[in-house]
Each structure stands twice: as C-alpha cells, then as structure tokens.
Amino acid sequence: MRFRPMQSGDLDTVVGIENMVSPVPWPTNQFIESIKNHHARVLEYSSAVVGYAIYSYKLDQAELLNLAIEPKSQGSGWGGRLLKLVIDGLPPEVKKLFLDVRVSNFRAIRLYQSFRFEQIGERVGYYRTSNEALRENALVMCLIRG
C-alpha cells in the first residue's frame, strides 16, 4: 500500500473512479486544479490506484474535499485506511477537519462516524443531482483532533 501525491498520469484512473462512484462527478479540470492548489493524494495497492483524497488545510483547520475508493475495492476497509492516512498526515496544528457528505451516502456517513466525526450542520440543496431540477442536502461534519 502506498499513499502518494496525485500526478497528471493518474488523472484517467482517478476520473474513471469518480465517474463510477459519484452521481455528479467532478470534471477532469477540477482534479487538475486540485493537484495544483490542494493536497491531492492517491492510494495505491499492487501498483494500481484504488482510491484518492483531495483536502486542504490552513492554520488550525482542514477540509476534506473529495474521497473515493474504486467500486470493486469498496467494503474491504480501503476507505478507512485512506481516511486514516489523510488524518494522520495533517500537521499537528490542525485541530478540526471538516467535510460535506450527501445525506444519501450512508456508507460514507458511517465511515466518518466511526472516525468520530460529528454532524454540526446541514446544507439544504447543496449537491447537484443527475436531475438538474433536484438538489440534495449535505451533512456538514467535523472531527476535532486532540
């Protein structure tokens, strides 16, 4: 297992995973911008990318912007490993990690709760859906570190 910076050569795989797991996937240019402006990392196993995480931090706060595991590797603990690598890799001065998650993403919500994230709010109509006329709420969650 290897956790390393995302590179432009990873984009086809990462965008492919995103397209499989997200109801409204990030476009390629959003990943390109994330490589330049955020912390974009991939999780490799047996030389294959099985997941990725995009996050940012400033001063004492961080935000998890995107995290995904390829569908065939889901349910095998990879999401927990990836989230732990992100959390453990944050500088010690980062005391709070925030994220938004679709209210319908029960698997992700359970994962975040298992890491002691707590819901601190809800954003009404935050996420687009495949039906442009409908929007989905997001839970705002926060992990407070040591």
Side-chain angles (χ1 to χ4, degrees):
M1 180 175 71
R2 196 168 144 216
F3 188 54
R4 64 168 175 78
M6 186 183 294
Q7 302 164 356
S8 59
D10 298 315
L11 286 172
D12 287 344
T13 301
V14 167
V15 170
I17 294 169
E18 177 75 2
N19 287 334
M20 287 186 279
V21 302
S22 178
V24 182
W26 280 18
T28 302
N29 66 338
Q30 199 161 359
F31 284 103
I32 293 169
E33 288 300 313
S34 291
I35 290 171
K36 294 177 189 174
N37 300 315
H38 302 294
H39 298 274
R41 313 271 302 178
V42 295
L43 183 63
E44 273 185 339
Y45 181 72
S46 297
S47 301
V49 172
V50 296
Y52 56 87
I54 314 288
Y55 58 98
S56 64
Y57 59 83
K58 188 168 182 149
L59 302 174
D60 65 343
Q61 295 186 5
E63 183 175 8
L64 183 61
L65 303 168
N66 197 340
L67 182 140
I69 298 294
E70 67 172 346
K72 69 181 180 180
S73 298
Q74 290 179 1
S76 302
W78 288 111
R81 289 183 187 101
L82 180 56
L83 184 56
K84 183 171 177 11
L85 288 165
V86 169
I87 293 168
D88 290 350
L90 292 171
E93 61 268 16
V94 172
K95 301 300 180 197
K96 293 180 180 179
L97 174 57
F98 296 91
L99 61 85
D100 297 309
V101 60
R102 289 177 183 273
V103 296
S104 64
N105 193 343
F106 303 116
R107 180 179 264 177
I109 293 166
R110 281 193 306 273
L111 172 67
Y112 299 138
Q113 288 171 335
S114 75
F115 276 81
R116 299 187 344 256
F117 279 83
E118 293 186 13
Q119 181 181 341
I120 60 168
E122 188 167 338
R123 300 180 198 269
V124 176
Y126 184 74
Y127 284 109
R128 291 183 317 141
T129 66
S130 55
N131 177 346
E132 289 295 325
L134 300 175
R135 305 284 290 189
E136 184 172 1
N137 292 358
L139 300 182
V140 180
M141 301 184 82
C142 180
L143 169 68
I144 298 176
R145 299 171 69 207

